[in-house]
């Protein structure tokens, strides 16, 4: 049986911008350690702002698939379309993997996948921005850190 241990350390934060000035950053994070194996290949976590899922698909090369959806209460504040971008870093350097949607509903399930390597430190950064009342903008950043170790 091929098995991987994945250490997960993540956070999510929100910032409201009105009139070009930040109104302060609010953090909401989670921390968890899990083992991805053929019997248990997934992790799910909630922050104050949304629900994150991630899993490893086993094969000749492992694929990391992920999804993030804002909670209904968070998405309800949107007064227009949301833009999303995601980037993956390996050992602190950009991998070239990106995912972006320039105009989607705030309740959209953002999801994607990419190949990963064992024994490398990864950080997935998801940025979402949408207009809110009184000409403000809400920016939500979610960071999902993980490392895949052969067991």
């Amino acid at each position: 049986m091929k098995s991987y241990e994945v250490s997960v350390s993540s956070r999510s934060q929100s910032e409201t911008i009105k009139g070009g000035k930040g109104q302060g950053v609010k953090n909401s994070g989670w921390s968890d350690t899990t083992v991805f194996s053929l019997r248990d290949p997934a992790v799910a976590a909630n922050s104050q702002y949304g629900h994150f899922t991630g899993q490893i698909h086993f094969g000749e090369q492992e694929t990391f698939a992920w999804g993030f959806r804002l909670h209904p209460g968070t998405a309800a504040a949107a007064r227009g379309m949301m833009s999303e971008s995601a980037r993956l870093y390996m050992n602190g350097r950009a991998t070239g993997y990106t995912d972006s949607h320039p105009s989607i509903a705030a309740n959209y399930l953002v999801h994607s996948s990419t190949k990963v390597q064992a024994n490398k430190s990864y950080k997935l950064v998801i940025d979402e921005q949408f207009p809110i009342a009184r000409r403000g903008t809400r920016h939500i950043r979610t960071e999902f850190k993980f490392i895949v170790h052969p067991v």
Side-chain angles (χ1 to χ4, degrees), residues 17 27-28 34 49 75 88 91 103 110 112 116 119 127 136-137 145:
I17 301 168
N27 287 308
S28 170
T34 205
Y49 308 109
L88 185 67
N91 295 332
S103 183
V110 179
S112 187
V116 293
N119 300 315
D127 286 302
T137 302
K145 296 179 184 178

Side-chain angles (χ1 to χ4, degrees), residues 76-119:
R79 297 294 176 253
M81 300 305 276
M82 177 176 80
S83 66
E84 173 271 341
S85 68
R87 299 164 313 286
L88 185 67
Y89 299 87
M90 181 178 69
N91 295 332
R93 302 187 75 163
T95 64
Y97 165 83
T98 62
D99 176 74
S100 66
H101 298 88
S103 183
I104 55 175
N107 64 355
Y108 181 76
L109 171 63
V110 179
H111 60 284
S112 187
S113 64
T114 185
K115 301 291 184 191
V116 293
Q117 300 174 24
N119 300 315

Side-chain angles (χ1 to χ4, degrees), residues 30-82:
W30 59 86
S31 186
D32 199 1
T33 301
T34 205
V35 175
F36 283 167
S37 69
L38 293 173
R39 290 187 185 133
D40 187 18
V43 63
N46 282 302
S47 75
Q48 178 181 347
Y49 308 109
H51 180 73
F52 180 87
T53 58
Q55 63 184 4
I56 299 290
H57 295 280
F58 296 96
E60 282 199 26
Q61 185 177 8
E62 281 58 55
T63 300
F64 173 64
W66 64 272
F68 183 74
R69 182 188 310 250
L70 294 175
H71 290 312
T74 303
R79 297 294 176 253
M81 300 305 276
M82 177 176 80

